[in-house]
Amino acid sequence: RVLHRRHGIPVYANSGTVEALSRDVELAGLKWQVFTTGTTFPQAMDIALGTPVVAQIANDTDMDIYEFTVPPGGAVIRFQTFDQGGAGCSRVDTWVDVYDADTFWMDGQDDINYPSNLCEDFTTLLPAGQNYVEVGGWFSPFAYTLLVSLN
């Protein structure tokens, strides 16, 4: 909701979620981007668990979406962001959202410890198969490192 109101970024949800949340007066007027449950994020880039990815956030409405595979039986997955060097958090302010294969939001984080650490580091239990992670940021442009790994 904050991203939409500040920057005009659409709120992604399936039709059932849109219908339920549209009744909330505080959410009236949001620009919804409706997708069909079970579809994929078409622009997702495939990444391997445990392999760092370096990318750039060009502006505050820029988002990167990655697709990764969780092993059979599901697993606890760790999501971390760092600066371009992959070790610290200098001049980086990311946020991260995680979605399952049906594009349902599973978890997310915006800042480990505001204002001293604006990167991300959290774990969540995900089902086996295809899942997604979305990375965006504030006070861009900046380069960041994303590490998605088995916990």
Side-chain angles (χ1 to χ4, degrees):
R1 183 173 66 172
V2 171
L3 288 174
H4 174 72
R5 297 208 190 272
R6 284 189 187 169
H7 305 287
I9 296 172
V11 178
Y12 289 84
N14 65 35
S15 59
T17 301
V18 171
E19 182 180 333
L21 293 179
S22 292
R23 296 183 204 123
D24 186 328
V25 174
E26 289 185 25
L27 299 176
L30 288 181
K31 180 180 175 186
W32 296 98
Q33 180 67 41
V34 180
F35 57 83
T36 304
T37 300
T39 62
T40 61
F41 288 108
Q43 69 275 31
M45 183 177 96
D46 192 36
I47 61 172
L49 291 177
T51 302
V53 176
V54 178
Q56 181 166 334
I57 297 296
N59 56 58
D60 290 355
T61 60
D62 185 18
M63 296 171 274
D64 296 327
I65 301 174
Y66 303 96
E67 176 182 336
F68 59 95
T69 302
V70 174
V76 175
I77 304 296
R78 185 175 186 185
F79 300 88
Q80 298 172 279
T81 59
F82 305 96
D83 57 25
Q84 183 175 2
C89 191
S90 178
R91 297 188 198 115
V92 173
D93 185 0
T94 55
W95 54 260
V96 172
D97 283 320
V98 180
Y99 301 86
D100 70 6
D102 291 325
T103 60
F104 285 111
W105 183 85
M106 300 295 288
D107 203 351
Q109 186 176 71
D110 184 7
D111 304 335
I112 293 172
N113 186 16
Y114 179 84
S116 62
N117 190 336
L118 304 179
C119 285
E120 316 315 324
D121 188 353
F122 66 101
T123 61
T124 194
L125 177 63
L126 292 174
Q130 181 181 38
N131 289 267
Y132 301 95
V133 59
E134 178 181 37
V135 180
W138 309 104
F139 311 110
S140 51
F142 60 80
Y144 69 91
T145 301
L146 171 68
L147 179 59
V148 178
S149 56
L150 290 169
N151 192 38

